[in-house]
């Protein structure tokens, strides 16, 4: 066990030329911010931080420990006690920005589309059963510090090496100290999401002056960009709230509201309109905040956040690289298929939201956005017929893995909503057989917001084949019925069995072929896709069903499903796990969502007007706080 002494934070926000070339400053700064989340807000000038190796993101030497995430409450939050009156808001830990946010921010700040954060260590799920990935509860490692430093230096060097980039981000042509000062005041303040104060501004100007004197104007600008991108003001979401005497909950400052809006709806920095609204005091009411949210959802950048939400909600992170066994010839014949399937689901959600669609249509629509490759996939194999591209709306997507491709809304046979999208089903499968466990767990946690405990150690691997005369269902049920497995699997497997007409690639199969083309004597066995949803707690949704269409239709009508979707959006917006203090906000948000006919856009706007979004809780010095 090692002890790391951290300097006071007031020193760490002020860069100088030595720190510009010294990664130890960045390491100390990031560790100090993590210490705030883990150990308390107010401390002496030097704080002792115990260095635990466990629970730290990204490997390398641990600089600060992870903090323990609370357990999820789930949909019971919507029936929890709520006392109207003064705002009640849960504690929000300090968090680092995500890889998606980093990429989007440097794109909007520097016109850089190289997505450098793709190589950073990944985020972790918030807590068991809450599978949105964030840096909210993660620690800091030496590896991520090195990644931040290298990315900042590369981005800054690239920016000043490109005259068009320089002219687009530097607001003047004089290349003198006055121009550098203006650059700091505008670009630097936007990068810090409105939290550039006079001391930091002066320090950045001092850094520029030193670099410019030793080299030239572009190098001075490069030094500013590097320092800003390495600063905790950029890498962390810092919220202090408006000054208040004796209050336990305080409203966020205008620039903090602007930052929350940009992070939630764009996964990026505020634009000029949002910065102006904050500076002019036009984010002080629910109506003003929601007006900005409505404007921002009409901006193309909203698709980036919607895509990030959908990727995590439907757990599509690994879909582009899925491997399937050799009998799935169509899958193995097209390396782009996994990426195209991801694009399909992302477009289904984003277009449903941006076109004013509802959760009901998302879960039950027989139409999906496909391209020609996906049309061939969906029309391939026994029981399927050629798919003619629809005459519905089309969307052009420029996916680096696929190229510029047009996706058209098309009615598909055998499909009902995004749970029957091939990419979703293929991801929740093994290489040969579909997985009732994975498919049922997806519904249980992502659609119903129930928590399944992690499996105990020593669980044998699932079967990879079906014996002669057997069925896929019999193989899956043999695993499900074992003790003590049944205590958890009774809540997953009977749901997942309802997707039995879809093989491990997500293709429709009229019988239990699992990708094989040559049937045994007597033919392939019939598929039994009946199943049931068992309530995990009293009063929760329970039913029996026959097939995926019946399941999707019943899920779409269930109150638990509606509440769960609202909760998932709430979690994503705040990048934290819910607590009992969120009950009033969650219930107000759900009331607006339900009264809108489950319109998803209205749900997102309602979240931005909630107390949980517009306020933060205060903690006393020495407590586990910001």
């Amino acid at each position: 066990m090692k002890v790391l002494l951290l300097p006071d934070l007031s020193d760490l926000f002020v860069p100088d030329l030595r720190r510009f070339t010294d990664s130890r400053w960045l390491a100390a700064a990031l560790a100090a911010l993590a210490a705030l989340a883990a150990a308390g807000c107010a401390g002496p000038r030097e704080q002792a931080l115990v260095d635990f190796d466990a629970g730290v993101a990204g490997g390398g030497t641990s600089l600060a420990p992870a903090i323990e995430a609370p357990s999820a409450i789930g949909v019971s939050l919507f029936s929890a006690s709520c006392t109207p009156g003064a705002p009640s808001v849960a504690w929000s830990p300090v968090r680092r920005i995500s890889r998606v946010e980093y990429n989007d921010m440097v794109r909007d700040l520097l016109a850089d589309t190289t997505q450098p954060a793709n190589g950073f260590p990944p985020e972790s799920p918030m807590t068991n059963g809450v599978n949105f990935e964030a840096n909210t509860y993660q620690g800091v490692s030496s590896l991520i510090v090195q990644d931040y430093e290298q990315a900042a230096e590369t981005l800054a060097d690239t920016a000043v090496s490109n005259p068009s980039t320089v002219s687009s981000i530097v607001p003047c042509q004089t290349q003198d100290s006055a121009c550098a000062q203006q650059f700091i005041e505008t670009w630097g303040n936007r990068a810090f999401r409105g939290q550039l104060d006079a001391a930091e501004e002066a320090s950045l100007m001092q850094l520029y002056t030193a670099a410019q004197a030793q080299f030239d104007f572009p190098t001075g600008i490069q030094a500013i960009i590097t320092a800003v991108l390495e600063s905790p003001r950029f890498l962390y979401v810092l919220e202090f709230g408006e000054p208040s005497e004796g209050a336990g909950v305080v409203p966020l400052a205008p620039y903090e509201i602007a930052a929350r809006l940009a992070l939630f709806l764009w996964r990026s920095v505020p634009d000029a309109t949002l910065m102006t609204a904050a500076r002019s005091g036009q984010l002080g009411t629910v109506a003003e905040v929601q007006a900005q949210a409505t404007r921002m959802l009409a901006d193309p950048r909203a698709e980036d956040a919607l895509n990030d939400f959908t990727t995590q909600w439907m757990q599509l992170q690994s879909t582009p690289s899925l491997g399937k066994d050799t009998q799935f010839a169509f899958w193995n014949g097209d390396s782009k298929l996994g990426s195209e399937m991801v694009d399909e689901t992302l477009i289904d959600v984003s277009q449903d939201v941006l076109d004013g669609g509802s959760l009901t249509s998302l879960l039950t629509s027989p139409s999906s956005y496909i391209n020609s490759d996906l049309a061939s996939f969906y029309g391939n194999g026994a029981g399927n017929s050629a798919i003619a591209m629809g005459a519905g709306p089309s969307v052009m997507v420029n996916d680096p893995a696929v190229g510029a491709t047009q996706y058209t809304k098309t009615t598909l046979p055998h499909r009902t909503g995004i749970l029957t999208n091939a990419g979703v089903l293929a991801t929740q499968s093994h290489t040969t057989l579909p997985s009732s466990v994975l498919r049922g767990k997806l519904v249980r946690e992502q659609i119903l917001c129930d928590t399944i405990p992690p499996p105990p150690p020593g669980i044998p691997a699932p079967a990879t084949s079906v014996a002669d005369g057997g069925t896929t269902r019999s193989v899956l049920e043999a695993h499900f019925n074992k003790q003590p497995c049944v205590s958890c699997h009774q809540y997953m497997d009977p749901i997942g069995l309802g997707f039995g007409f879809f093989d491990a690639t997500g293709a429709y199969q009229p019988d239990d072929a699992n990708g094989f083309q040559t049937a045994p004597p007597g033919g392939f066995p019939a598929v039994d896709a009946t199943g049931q949803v068992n309530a995990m707690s009293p009063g929760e949704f329970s039913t029996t069903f026959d097939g995926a269409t019946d399941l999707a239709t019943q899920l779409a009508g269930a109150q638990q499903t509606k509440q769960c979707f609202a909760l998932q959006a709430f979690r994503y917006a705040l990048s934290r796990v819910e607590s009992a203090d969120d009950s009033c906000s969650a219930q107000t948000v759900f009331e607006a969502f339900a009264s809108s006919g489950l319109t998803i856009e209205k749900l997102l706007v309602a979240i931005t007007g909630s107390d949980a979004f517009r306020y933060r809780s205060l903690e006393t010095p020495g407590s586990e706080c910001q």
Side-chain angles (χ1 to χ4, degrees):
M1 183 167 63
K2 303 184 289 289
V3 176
L4 177 66
L5 292 179
L6 301 178
D8 182 66
L9 275 179
S10 61
D11 293 334
L12 293 174
F13 286 123
V14 184
D16 58 32
L17 189 58
R18 176 182 57 81
R19 286 169 174 165
F20 172 53
T21 59
D22 186 355
S23 63
R24 290 174 295 179
W25 170 76
L26 177 59
L30 294 182
L33 265 296
L36 287 182
C41 296
R45 187 165 181 81
E46 289 188 341
Q47 305 175 49
L49 177 64
V50 178
D51 178 6
F52 296 102
D53 290 329
V56 175
T61 303
S62 169
L63 300 177
I67 62 174
E68 184 177 355
S71 298
I73 294 177
V75 296
S76 63
L77 185 68
F78 296 96
S79 58
S81 175
C82 166
T83 303
S88 174
V89 179
W91 168 61
S92 293
V94 176
R95 73 172 180 92
R96 282 184 291 121
I97 60 175
S98 70
R99 291 172 297 166
V100 167
E101 289 167 333
Y102 190 104
N103 286 337
D104 289 351
M105 287 177 184
V106 299
R107 177 203 62 199
D108 292 344
L109 290 167
L110 298 170
D112 190 293
T113 58
T114 59
Q115 299 188 325
N118 288 355
F120 293 177
E123 301 78 25
S124 63
M126 292 186 191
T127 192
N128 185 48
V130 180
N131 298 305
F132 288 113
E133 297 178 344
N135 288 318
T136 306
Y137 306 103
Q138 280 195 340
V140 177
S141 72
S142 59
L143 179 58
I144 189 62
V145 171
Q146 294 168 10
D147 286 341
Y148 285 149
E149 182 184 27
Q150 182 177 2
E153 292 174 354
T154 300
L155 287 163
D157 180 65
T158 301
V160 299
S161 299
N162 188 333
S164 64
T165 301
V166 174
S167 63
S168 67
I169 65 174
V170 177
C172 42
Q173 303 300 321
T174 54
Q175 295 202 356
D176 56 14
S177 295
C179 182
Q181 181 72 42
Q182 189 177 354
F183 176 67
I184 293 169
E185 293 172 354
T186 55
W187 185 89
N189 192 42
R190 186 184 178 206
F192 285 173
R193 303 180 286 280
Q195 294 189 345
L196 176 70
D197 62 25
E200 291 156 345
E201 185 178 324
S203 297
L204 286 170
M205 190 62 198
Q206 182 182 6
L207 175 62
Y208 160 80
T209 301
Q212 188 274 337
Q214 187 171 352
F215 300 101
D216 52 20
F217 177 83
T219 305
I221 296 298
Q222 180 182 353
I224 293 170
I225 294 173
T226 303
V228 166
L229 296 184
E230 290 183 355
S231 170
R233 293 283 185 188
F234 176 75
L235 295 169
Y236 277 85
V237 180
L238 302 174
E239 297 172 338
F240 304 98
E242 296 280 27
S244 179
E245 290 293 334
V249 174
V250 296
L252 293 176
Y255 281 113
E256 293 168 351
I257 290 286
R260 277 204 179 186
L261 284 167
L263 291 166
F264 173 32
L265 300 175
W266 288 346
R267 266 353 196 199
S268 188
V269 292
D271 65 354
T273 301
L274 201 51
M275 294 288 282
T276 298
R279 185 170 59 252
S280 304
Q282 296 175 348
L283 293 175
T285 68
V286 170
E288 289 172 336
V289 172
Q290 292 186 333
Q292 288 292 335
T294 301
R295 174 188 71 85
M296 295 170 70
L297 284 169
D299 188 284
R301 282 170 287 190
E303 292 188 28
D304 297 323
L306 291 171
N307 289 347
D308 183 43
F309 171 85
T310 304
T311 299
Q312 297 185 64
W313 180 46
M314 288 289 101
Q315 301 182 331
L316 301 173
Q317 294 92 329
S318 65
T319 309
S321 58
L322 289 177
K324 300 297 177 182
D325 285 349
T326 56
Q327 72 267 26
F328 298 110
F330 197 100
W331 180 281
N332 289 297
D334 186 351
S335 61
K336 305 189 305 294
L337 199 56
S339 295
E340 291 169 324
M341 288 178 175
V342 172
D343 290 340
E344 173 192 5
T345 302
L346 300 185
I347 300 168
D348 284 349
V349 175
S350 65
Q351 294 305 302
D352 187 81
V353 174
L354 300 178
D355 291 342
S358 68
L359 176 63
T360 304
S361 62
L362 190 62
L363 293 176
T364 62
S365 174
S367 299
S368 188
Y369 282 83
I370 62 171
N371 63 3
S372 57
D373 288 343
L374 291 173
S376 298
F377 172 84
Y378 281 121
N380 179 66
N384 297 294
S385 56
I387 302 295
M389 297 292 290
S394 296
V395 176
M396 182 63 70
V397 175
N398 191 10
D399 182 342
V402 178
T405 307
Q406 181 170 285
Y407 292 77
T408 302
K409 191 172 186 179
T410 303
T411 299
L412 300 175
H414 317 301
R415 308 282 166 169
T416 305
I418 62 168
L419 290 176
T420 58
N421 280 13
V424 175
L425 293 166
T427 306
Q428 306 304 326
S429 298
H430 300 300
T431 56
T432 296
L433 299 179
S435 173
S436 60
V437 178
L438 297 177
R439 292 174 176 182
K441 187 173 185 288
L442 180 80
V443 172
R444 180 60 70 181
E445 293 191 335
Q446 306 304 95
I447 304 298
L448 295 174
C449 289
D450 286 323
T451 298
I452 300 295
I459 298 297
T464 59
S465 62
V466 178
D468 292 343
T471 66
T472 302
R473 183 177 180 119
S474 66
V475 170
L476 299 176
E477 285 182 329
H479 176 73
F480 154 55
N481 287 321
K482 289 181 180 178
Q483 293 291 346
C485 303
V486 69
S487 61
C488 289
H489 282 266
Q490 64 178 315
Y491 300 116
M492 298 180 290
D493 298 44
I495 299 175
L497 292 171
F499 298 98
F501 280 105
F502 303 100
D503 67 22
T505 69
Y508 175 78
Q509 54 178 13
D511 43 35
D512 201 13
N514 290 315
F516 291 102
Q517 303 301 312
T518 303
F524 291 115
V527 171
D528 177 3
T530 58
Q532 61 191 66
V533 180
N534 298 314
M536 288 191 70
S537 300
E540 286 195 343
F541 174 65
S542 63
T543 190
T544 58
F545 58 86
D546 188 354
T549 293
D550 189 12
L551 172 61
T553 302
Q554 293 195 56
L555 284 171
Q559 183 80 341
Q560 185 174 348
T561 299
K562 302 168 188 177
Q563 291 176 337
C564 177
F565 187 79
L567 180 58
Q568 299 288 31
F570 189 84
R571 291 164 168 169
Y572 181 82
L574 300 174
S575 292
R576 63 169 173 80
V577 180
E578 71 279 0
S579 84
D581 289 329
D582 294 314
S583 59
C584 290
S585 289
Q587 290 166 28
T588 301
V589 165
F590 183 72
E591 182 179 351
F593 181 41
S595 65
S596 74
L598 304 180
T599 303
I600 300 175
E601 180 185 8
K602 300 298 184 185
L603 167 64
L604 305 182
V605 173
I607 290 172
T608 66
S610 68
D611 288 345
F613 193 88
R614 297 173 55 245
Y615 290 79
R616 69 173 295 268
S617 63
L618 294 180
E619 298 283 346
T620 56
S623 64
E624 292 185 1
C625 58
Q626 295 202 79

